[in-house]
Structure formats: structure tokens, C-alpha cells
Amino acid sequence: ELTWPALTLRRSRIDGRDLLVLTGAEPDYRWPELGVAILDLLQRLGVAAWISLGAIPAAVPHTRPVPVLGTASEPGLLRGGIKAGPEGVMRVPAALLSVLEVGAGAAGLPAVGYFAQVPHYVSGSYPAAAVELLAAVSRHLDVKIDAPRLVEEARQMRIRLDTAARLDESTKSYVERLEAMVDEARLPSGDELISEIERFLRDRGSQGSQRP
């Protein structure tokens, strides 16, 4: 049996507000066509604003609060103290999410995006990022969204990551370097990020080669 992946649009109502949540696997191609179709759907349903949620790998430690960067179709749309990411011109979108957000903004819908920065050394899901993104949506919409199960999953993962860092000296020192940069309120540049990742992998490789 062949089951095709599908995009799903769900309706929720929170504090008297209607929310439409679009989720699903990102298609491999035909992004512009899908973007036009979704924009048409938004207009027919009378959607008033667009909010993108996503995550990006970054040189940030799991021991500090999850940083969240924002994007906006025009100045003044971001709320809750979230700052906009670096300015620039997007010529080649890296994800369908960017196509949809830009399309919504171009069509006159207020469009914002909140993107959590996830420690690049963490593989798989990262509940702490989801918690912060829900908090960003709560502040943006001025509604209360509780997710106690997600909060507990984030707490359990923090315990596992702390344990893993204590058991491996190279990981521990690497996390401490990232903590120092964050505490100095300085995010690493692209070159610094690559250098840190290479050093981390090199240290782990040299330790592995010494083991019998």
C-alpha cells in the first residue's frame, strides 16, 4: 500500500480566536505552485495574519535559554521582545516555509516568523525549542497556550544532555566555550561556527582513535 504524505490544515479556537495550523512534510519540488494554492486558500478562508514557526541549528549551548530570531514582512510586527534576524535579500528560498511567508507578506497579509536556534550537536527532536516557540506564539497572539507534557519532555532531555556532557570531557569543554560566548552576548560568526564544529569533531575523533 502506498500512502502519500499530506499537508494538514487544522482549526483550533483559543481564547475566542480562531487558529488555523498548517503542518506536514515539505515537498521536494513545485514550491511556487503550492505557494499559490495555499495563498488562495488563505484568502478564501479570510485569514488575517501569517505566523511561521521553525528551527535552525546554531552554535548555542543547551544549558542556556533557547534563542528565538524573528522575521517580519514589515517593521513593527514582531512582539514579545523577539528581535529580527540579520537583514538581507532572499533570492533562493531554502525552504517552502520561506516561500509561504514571503508570499503571504506580498499578498498584504501581516507575516511574521519565529525561529528557535537549536544546539547543532543535538540530533532529533528538541522539546525546549518547541516550548519557546509556543511561548512566542502566546505572546504574539496575547493568548495562553499550556503544554505541560512538552515542558516535561524538555526537562527530561536537559537531564540527558547534562549527563552526556559530564561523561565526555571534550563535549563538556565545547559546551563551556559556547556558554562563554552566549554569556558575553556574542553569537559566533559563520567562520567561528565552522571552526568550533571542526574542533569539536576533531577532538572527538582523536579521543576515539586512542581507545582500544
Side-chain angles (χ1 to χ4, degrees):
E1 179 182 353
L2 177 62
T3 302
W4 291 103
L7 294 175
T8 302
L9 188 66
R10 295 181 175 88
R11 174 182 176 270
S12 298
R13 192 166 179 81
I14 301 177
D15 290 352
R17 305 190 65 164
D18 289 315
L19 299 180
L20 297 177
V21 182
L22 178 67
T23 60
E26 183 178 60
D28 291 330
Y29 66 111
R30 298 174 68 181
W31 287 358
E33 183 179 345
L34 180 57
V36 171
I38 290 179
L39 180 59
D40 177 66
L41 181 63
L42 298 181
Q43 293 172 331
R44 288 193 284 118
L45 293 175
V47 172
W50 173 276
I51 301 177
S52 298
L53 298 179
I56 52 177
V60 295
H62 71 276
T63 54
R64 297 292 186 267
V66 178
V68 178
L69 295 178
T71 59
S73 58
E74 59 184 76
L77 293 180
L78 295 172
R79 301 174 186 173
I82 302 297
K83 296 181 179 180
E87 294 184 1
V89 178
M90 184 175 65
R91 294 183 173 86
V92 181
L96 173 63
L97 192 61
S98 300
V99 174
L100 298 178
E101 183 178 334
V102 171
L109 288 178
V112 300
Y114 294 107
F115 297 89
Q117 294 183 288
V118 177
H120 65 82
Y121 54 85
V122 176
S123 59
S125 61
Y126 192 60
V131 171
E132 287 301 321
L133 290 176
L134 281 180
V137 172
S138 297
R139 292 189 296 267
H140 187 91
L141 299 177
D142 194 22
V143 299
K144 185 178 181 180
I145 303 177
D146 293 321
R149 180 178 176 182
L150 200 57
V151 171
E152 176 60 20
E153 290 178 2
R155 188 184 73 84
Q156 292 293 337
M157 172 161 275
R158 169 63 187 272
I159 293 174
R160 294 194 296 271
L161 291 174
D162 285 345
T163 301
R166 285 196 302 268
L167 295 177
D168 186 271
E169 190 61 34
S170 64
T171 301
K172 179 182 177 181
S173 62
Y174 180 68
V175 172
E176 289 174 348
R177 288 200 298 269
L178 294 180
E179 289 175 337
M181 286 189 288
V182 170
D183 293 343
E184 293 172 2
R186 181 180 70 86
L187 291 178
S189 66
D191 290 340
E192 288 175 317
L193 172 58
I194 294 174
S195 177
E196 286 293 324
I197 294 175
E198 289 177 342
R199 182 188 305 175
F200 175 69
L201 295 176
R202 184 169 59 250
D203 291 344
R204 290 188 63 86
S206 62
Q207 286 187 356
S209 62
Q210 296 173 1
R211 293 171 183 169

